Amino acid sequence: YIHSVNCPSKETEMAPPQQRRGTISSFRRQKTSQWTRLVYHRIGVAQAAVFIFVIVITYHALKQRAGRGAIVQELIRQVSQIEGSGPIVAHLSSLSKETTTSNARTTKDVRMRALKWIEVDTYGNQYRENELVNLVQRYALAVLYFSTGGDETWNKCSRDLRSPCDDGDKESGITRFLSDTSSECRWYGVGCHENKIIWLDLTNINLHGTIMDELSLLPELQSLWLSENRNLGGTLAESIGELKQLQSISLFNTSIGGTIPERLFELGKLSSLRIYGSEFTGSIPSRVGEAKEMAWMWLHDNRLTGTIPREIANLSKLEGLTIHGNDVRKTTQEID
């Protein structure tokens, strides 16, 4: 456009002043008109570019949202295959239908925070079709993390880089909890066998909060050690009975209370129960005699009441039992 504008000719410059002014005025109008068309053209191109940019961003956002929805549905499918997971499946299905616009770090619903984390979990999303990656395990651990103050109170290997961690030691293979670049089997405090979680050891790292039912989504768990966390409270849910492989439970020196779940003694492999120095109440369940493998049962310094159940005599492998520091009386019947 600029180069196509005609400059005043020599004849125009030699013309009388009045005629020359008219010719120059016409020239200026022509030049202004062409500049206007040029500006309008460029604005049109810019608007088109912005429009295309918005379309592309919207497309990728919708595609990403669809992908995340597929991951949540896959999580629900995997959870539904675990025995006794009905209530958890119902809760997940309800959450998946909600509009989750709140920030994952600020929402008060820890299950929602865990679900939103699963949606953006780089490792889980990239390798979710690989049999070595278990969405259920990652979700269960995410719920545990958020329900015990992971971002706010953990003093070791949380997502907060200010908390100390051995993740810089390549030989140890340890990574921070909720690392989205590694398997959950490499997270601090997690132990696996054949990519299935078999132990959790989060002793003395300043857990704040409660243990939620999602822990029952780890059916191969053999050892659960959450001791020396005074701000870990709530109760021990009956869903603990779904962990059929549990052999050792250590919850001593916590603020966990309520009654001792009867289903705890359905666990046929449980050999060690250390819950002393906590806030457990009520009586020792008579079903204690069903825990045939029980060798160590340390219940002292709680707020237990009632009498020592006679069924304890059925624990033929019992080597140690501590009940002092409670309001528990001896049974009126002799225990053989």
Side-chain angles (χ1 to χ4, degrees), residues 83-318:
E83 183 179 355
S85 64
I88 298 176
V89 171
H91 202 101
L92 272 173
S93 299
S94 176
L95 288 178
S96 68
K97 297 176 183 178
E98 294 182 12
T99 303
T100 57
T101 57
S102 58
N103 188 284
R105 288 180 178 266
T106 60
T107 180
K108 295 181 180 180
D109 189 325
V110 297
R111 292 186 175 96
M112 181 65 80
R113 293 177 72 180
L115 194 61
K116 288 172 72 67
W117 176 81
I118 279 287
E119 287 181 338
V120 299
D121 173 23
T122 303
Y123 185 88
N125 292 354
Q126 185 174 359
Y127 301 103
R128 69 186 182 87
E129 295 181 358
N130 189 323
E131 293 180 358
L132 300 181
V133 175
N134 190 320
L135 287 178
V136 177
Q137 291 188 157
R138 296 176 80 82
Y139 174 69
L141 292 179
V143 172
L144 177 64
Y145 179 82
F146 290 120
S147 69
T148 57
D151 283 343
E152 296 79 24
T153 67
W154 283 28
N155 59 25
K156 189 169 185 179
C157 288
S158 72
R159 294 195 300 179
D160 187 343
L161 298 181
R162 292 173 296 180
S163 64
C165 194
D166 296 329
D167 56 342
D169 183 358
K170 295 182 179 180
E171 294 183 0
S172 70
I174 296 174
T175 60
R176 292 180 178 275
F177 225 82
L178 295 198
S179 168
D180 60 0
T181 59
S182 69
S183 165
E184 65 278 9
C185 291
R186 295 185 58 195
W187 295 352
Y188 172 80
V190 179
C192 293
H193 176 67
E194 295 181 349
N195 297 296
K196 299 295 184 181
I197 296 174
I198 61 172
W199 57 260
L200 285 175
D201 183 4
L202 300 176
T203 302
N204 195 24
I205 64 168
N206 203 29
L207 305 183
H208 279 232
T210 61
I211 303 172
M212 302 187 73
D213 288 336
E214 279 72 9
L215 191 66
S216 64
L217 298 178
L218 305 176
E220 302 301 319
L221 191 65
Q222 299 175 14
S223 299
L224 175 63
W225 302 327
L226 306 178
S227 302
E228 302 287 357
N229 290 291
R230 274 300 180 188
N231 292 297
L232 181 62
T235 61
L236 195 58
E238 290 287 343
S239 58
I240 193 77
E242 300 295 339
L243 300 175
K244 307 298 184 183
Q245 304 301 318
L246 262 183
Q247 301 174 20
S248 176
I249 298 177
S250 290
L251 302 175
F252 59 84
N253 291 337
T254 67
S255 294
I256 298 175
T259 58
I260 300 175
E262 292 197 5
R263 291 195 64 192
L264 192 64
F265 302 105
E266 294 179 2
L267 303 176
K269 297 183 179 181
L270 187 63
S271 62
S272 175
L273 177 62
R274 294 177 169 87
I275 59 173
Y276 61 86
S278 298
E279 301 292 331
F280 286 95
T281 59
S283 59
I284 301 173
S286 59
R287 296 187 65 182
V288 65
E290 298 177 21
K292 301 299 184 182
E293 297 296 319
M294 188 70 73
W296 303 95
M297 191 160 58
W298 296 353
L299 312 178
H300 61 274
D301 293 333
N302 277 281
R303 294 192 291 160
L304 299 174
T305 57
T307 60
I308 301 174
R310 182 177 178 81
E311 288 78 6
I312 282 184
N314 297 331
L315 303 180
S316 59
K317 297 184 178 181
L318 190 64

